[in-house]
């Protein structure tokens, strides 16, 4: 099975900072990658699919890139409401494995 | 608007089974599938399986195969996840999500399943 890793596991940044989270697949998955945001105590929310397609209603400060094995989620200007854990998930084939998550908070 | 409402919290003894329901509304039920995802306390998301509401095709996480059954009932627009042989490490919040292709685009509110003797 393809394994998913994320780095860093957690980060602390200031409001307005640019934040980048990396997701890596152990084998190529083309662009079959989604990103989810889970705020504390809340239900996960889909942010992006196909590695870079922003879901309707998601702020444009979120963006994604990558293909094959290496992917990034970028928050261009971190806001207090972005405090959350972010997960990547591959969906090219089952099992549809999630990454372990990256916890983002405000410095 | 898309809405997924899950059944309420459950407490089960080790070895028992649990069946969680997920009632969908706001879209054509058979045009999408359902993914099931769980989250143990303080842990990350774990994909459990997927079912097509169109034809009932399923896939599941290999380590759960033999214990998990996914079904749908189009007459009530409801998806079900049954997990058998419960163990303490099955204690988690269980989520259903509408699957657009294989992408979980709308999520239910979650169902806490506690396994304890």
């Amino acid at each position: 099975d393809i394994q998913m890793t994320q780095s860093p596991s957690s980060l602390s940044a200031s409001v307005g900072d640019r934040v980048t989270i990396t997701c890596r697949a152990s084998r190529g998955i083309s662009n079959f990658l989604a990103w989810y945001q889970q705020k504390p105590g809340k239900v996960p929310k889909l942010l992006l699919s196909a590695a870079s397609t922003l879901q309707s209603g998601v702020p444009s400060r979120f963006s994604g890139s990558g293909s094959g094995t290496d992917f990034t989620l970028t928050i261009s200007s971190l806001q207090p409401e972005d405090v959350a854990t972010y997960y990547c998930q591959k969906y090219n084939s089952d099992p549809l494995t999630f990454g372990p998550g990256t916890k983002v908070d405000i410095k | 608007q898309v809405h997924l409402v899950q059944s309420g919290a459950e407490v089960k003894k080790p070895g028992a089974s649990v069946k969680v329901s997920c009632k969908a509304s706001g879209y054509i039920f058979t045009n999408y599938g359902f993914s099931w995802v769980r989250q143990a306390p303080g842990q990350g998301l774990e994909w459990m399986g997927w079912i097509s509401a169109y034809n009932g095709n399923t896939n599941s996480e290999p380590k759960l195969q033999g214990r998990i059954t996914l079904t749908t009932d189009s007459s009530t627009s409801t998806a079900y996840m049954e997990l058998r042989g419960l163990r303490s490490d099955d204690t988690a919040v269980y989520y259903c999500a509408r699957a657009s292709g294989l992408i979980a685009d709308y999520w239910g509110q979650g169902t806490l399943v506690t396994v304890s003797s």
Side-chain angles (χ1 to χ4, degrees):
Chain A
D1 292 346
I2 296 173
Q3 305 304 312
M4 305 300 292
T5 58
Q6 288 182 234
S7 61
S9 57
S10 65
L11 67 90
S12 186
S14 299
V15 172
D17 280 355
R18 183 181 184 89
V19 168
T20 299
I21 298 167
T22 296
C23 174
R24 180 162 290 164
S26 59
R27 293 199 306 276
I29 59 170
S30 185
N31 68 336
F32 292 96
L33 188 93
W35 288 97
Y36 298 87
Q37 174 193 62
Q38 186 178 32
K39 295 183 179 181
K42 301 298 185 183
V43 176
K45 174 187 174 183
L46 176 66
L47 295 179
L48 298 103
S49 60
S52 61
T53 301
L54 203 65
Q55 297 305 294
S56 175
V58 174
S60 59
R61 63 180 179 273
F62 290 93
S63 64
S65 65
S67 184
T69 60
D70 295 321
F71 303 87
T72 59
L73 172 68
T74 299
I75 308 172
S76 61
S77 177
L78 187 68
Q79 300 301 304
E81 60 267 32
D82 300 334
V83 168
T85 300
Y86 294 84
Y87 297 91
C88 60
Q89 184 195 26
K90 73 170 197 67
Y91 59 93
N92 62 313
S93 63
D94 64 279
L96 308 186
T97 311
F98 286 93
T102 295
K103 187 174 182 180
V104 174
D105 63 23
I106 302 292
K107 192 182 295 182
Chain B
Q1 68 282 22
V2 176
H3 207 44
L4 302 178
V5 178
Q6 298 184 222
S7 49
E10 303 259 16
V11 179
K12 296 291 184 180
K13 294 194 181 302
S17 299
V18 69
K19 192 170 187 176
V20 178
S21 67
C22 172
K23 184 168 178 61
S25 61
Y27 69 96
I28 299 173
F29 184 77
T30 51
N31 282 4
Y32 296 83
F34 288 86
S35 278
W36 288 87
V37 175
R38 68 180 179 179
Q39 186 169 36
Q43 302 302 307
L45 302 175
E46 179 185 15
W47 180 77
M48 300 179 69
W50 168 90
I51 183 168
S52 165
Y54 173 71
N55 59 16
N57 285 349
T58 62
N59 289 313
S60 60
E61 163 60 47
K63 71 176 186 179
L64 294 175
Q65 286 174 6
R67 291 207 297 141
I68 188 171
T69 299
L70 302 179
T71 56
T72 61
D73 181 347
S74 59
S75 69
T76 60
S77 297
T78 303
Y80 298 92
M81 185 284 300
E82 181 180 30
L83 191 62
R84 299 176 295 280
L86 289 169
R87 309 186 292 246
S88 58
D89 62 356
D90 291 318
T91 294
V93 175
Y94 288 74
Y95 294 103
C96 66
R98 189 183 79 163
S100 178
L102 294 175
I103 301 163
D105 61 356
Y106 289 90
W107 293 59
Q109 84 277 19
T111 296
L112 175 62
V113 174
T114 303
V115 183
S116 174
S117 55

